[in-house]
Amino acid sequence: MKLYQRILLAPGLALLFLVLFGAVVYRALDTEQVAMKEIYTTRFGFFEKLGGVSAEIDTVHASVYRLVTWIGNYDEAKVVRMSADLAKQIDSASAVLAELLNSPGLIDDERRGLESTQVHLAAYRKHVTTALDLATVDVNTGLAAMQTADMTFQEVRSDLNV
């Protein structure tokens, strides 16, 4: 072996190992990118939908109070239309919860929380419908019935915040 070959052997081996190390690191970062993309689309998508449900239920609850408060100033057709719109929004939130329940990869705590939220949301819809029906006859009775709906709303919110 000639002298220049002996001199270039150590840097050549170092370059070879650096290229191999670079290939291993590139593969690891590529795998990590795929995993992060999956986490973002799946897990954050789940929380984004759950946040949308939470915001929709908050909007419904505020709208129910607004409707009960102003129900004496509205004609019957408008009250029926607004009540149907509120029920449709609650049903929409229930549909999103059902979709989330059917998504793969849920852990047991998430599944239990979504099931509990669905039960409480169905009860909330029933209580809101009752309160609006009573409010068409007497506003004070409707507001009293809203206490039950409000307690159920708080249960829905506590389920969604977990």
Side-chain angles (χ1 to χ4, degrees):
M1 189 178 272
K2 297 192 183 210
L3 182 62
Y4 78 91
Q5 290 173 337
R6 288 182 189 172
I7 293 174
L8 293 178
L9 183 64
L13 283 173
L15 282 175
L16 178 68
F17 285 123
L18 281 174
V19 168
L20 286 174
F21 180 71
V24 169
V25 168
Y26 178 78
R27 176 73 176 132
L29 287 175
D30 188 47
T31 304
E32 183 180 345
Q33 181 184 12
V34 169
M36 292 301 277
K37 189 178 288 186
E38 190 272 332
I39 287 172
Y40 181 76
T41 57
T42 303
R43 303 308 299 167
F44 288 143
F46 173 82
F47 290 118
E48 186 177 31
K49 286 181 181 178
L50 205 57
V53 167
S54 179
E56 190 165 8
I57 295 302
D58 289 348
T59 302
V60 166
H61 196 62
S63 299
V64 168
Y65 268 108
R66 185 178 312 119
L67 178 59
V68 169
T69 303
W70 287 91
I71 204 162
N73 297 334
Y74 297 145
D75 62 341
E76 187 175 334
K78 186 171 185 174
V79 170
V80 169
R81 189 184 83 247
M82 291 176 80
S83 297
D85 288 344
L86 292 171
K88 207 180 299 183
Q89 286 177 323
I90 295 173
D91 291 340
S92 171
S94 293
V96 171
L97 285 176
E99 175 189 331
L100 289 175
L101 256 173
N102 293 329
S103 63
L106 287 179
I107 60 176
D108 291 337
D109 288 341
E110 291 171 339
R111 187 169 304 283
R112 279 192 297 271
L114 287 174
E115 289 168 350
S116 175
T117 303
Q118 267 191 326
V119 169
H120 289 135
L121 195 57
Y124 177 70
R125 186 185 192 288
K126 179 183 164 207
H127 295 311
V128 164
T129 303
T130 302
L132 290 176
D133 288 344
L134 291 173
T136 57
V137 177
D138 181 37
V139 175
N140 291 328
T141 308
L143 285 173
M146 275 303 294
Q147 288 179 348
T148 307
D150 191 56
M151 289 179 358
T152 311
F153 168 76
Q154 290 174 13
E155 291 173 347
V156 170
R157 290 294 295 149
S158 69
D159 289 342
L160 291 173
N161 287 335
V162 173

